[in-house]
Amino acid sequence: MSEVKLAADVRTSFGKGAARSIRRDNKVPGVIYGHGTEPVHVTLPGHDLLLALRTPNVLLSLDIDGKTELAIPKAVQRDAIKGYLVHVDLLLVKKGEKVTVEVPVETEGDLAPGSFLVENVLNALSVEAEATHIPTSVTVSIEGLEAGDSIHAKDVKLPAGATLATDPEAVVIQILAAQAEEPAAETEAAEGAEA
């Protein structure tokens, strides 16, 4: 897991106009909360935050008025068309604290010979891990699987220190037989012969 250091400025202006002004300066408005503390409204550097959020469940080390706080992204709002960051909610964490997060599922390996499709029923697994050791992803091997085979959440090998929070019986990956369609030309020829 990567830790990214960012400088955060406490903000005192609120509302749409203030948020637009912040975004014009290539910054992102956000709020930090957790551990029973009052929410702190902050302004974060837009480009650096965007790069940091490319890593799933990134740990942010925030410098707020000379005090360092650790936080993880809880909710990220993006512009629907242009994709830039609109607002971010950050959850305070402490070293040694366990948190429950969604971790992306990646597949590796080759299926058995034949025409099969891999269906990712779950694209992410909910796991509980220490806040400073959150896995960036979990890898599932599909080597040699055939149609009808499936991998359940309980079958996924998690990194050390992580425990499964998803239902153990939930299907993560399912292998399906490819459905062959008749070529359009043969179908039209058959229909012409019947007529």
Side-chain angles (χ1 to χ4, degrees), residues 3-76:
E3 183 175 322
V4 178
K5 295 182 185 230
L6 294 176
D9 300 320
V10 177
R11 64 185 168 103
T12 54
S13 56
F14 305 100
K16 286 183 182 180
R20 285 187 188 123
S21 176
I22 290 168
R23 287 187 211 104
R24 272 195 301 270
D25 292 337
N26 195 23
K27 294 186 177 182
V28 179
V31 64
I32 303 169
Y33 54 88
H35 294 167
T37 61
E38 287 292 318
V40 178
H41 298 274
V42 294
T43 302
L44 300 157
H47 182 70
D48 294 341
L49 181 62
L50 185 65
L51 292 176
L53 292 176
R54 288 185 178 176
T55 303
N57 300 315
V58 66
L59 182 64
L60 300 173
S61 177
L62 302 172
D63 181 17
I64 308 168
D65 291 337
K67 185 179 174 188
T68 302
E69 296 280 2
L70 293 176
I72 57 173
K74 191 67 176 169
V76 178

Side-chain angles (χ1 to χ4, degrees), residues 106-179:
E106 296 177 354
T107 57
E108 68 177 7
D110 296 320
L111 297 172
S115 297
F116 304 121
L117 299 173
V118 178
E119 179 184 8
N120 287 47
V121 179
L122 293 178
N123 292 322
L125 285 178
S126 186
V127 300
E128 184 179 57
E130 203 235 310
T132 56
H133 293 91
I134 298 172
T136 53
S137 65
V138 290
T139 305
V140 177
S141 174
I142 58 170
E143 189 69 38
L145 296 181
E146 298 179 349
D149 292 341
S150 59
I151 297 172
H152 295 86
K154 65 182 177 185
D155 303 325
V156 177
K157 186 175 183 326
L158 298 175
T163 56
L164 189 65
T166 301
D167 176 15
E169 297 301 322
V171 175
V172 180
I173 304 286
Q174 188 170 311
I175 309 302
L176 306 171
Q179 299 292 323

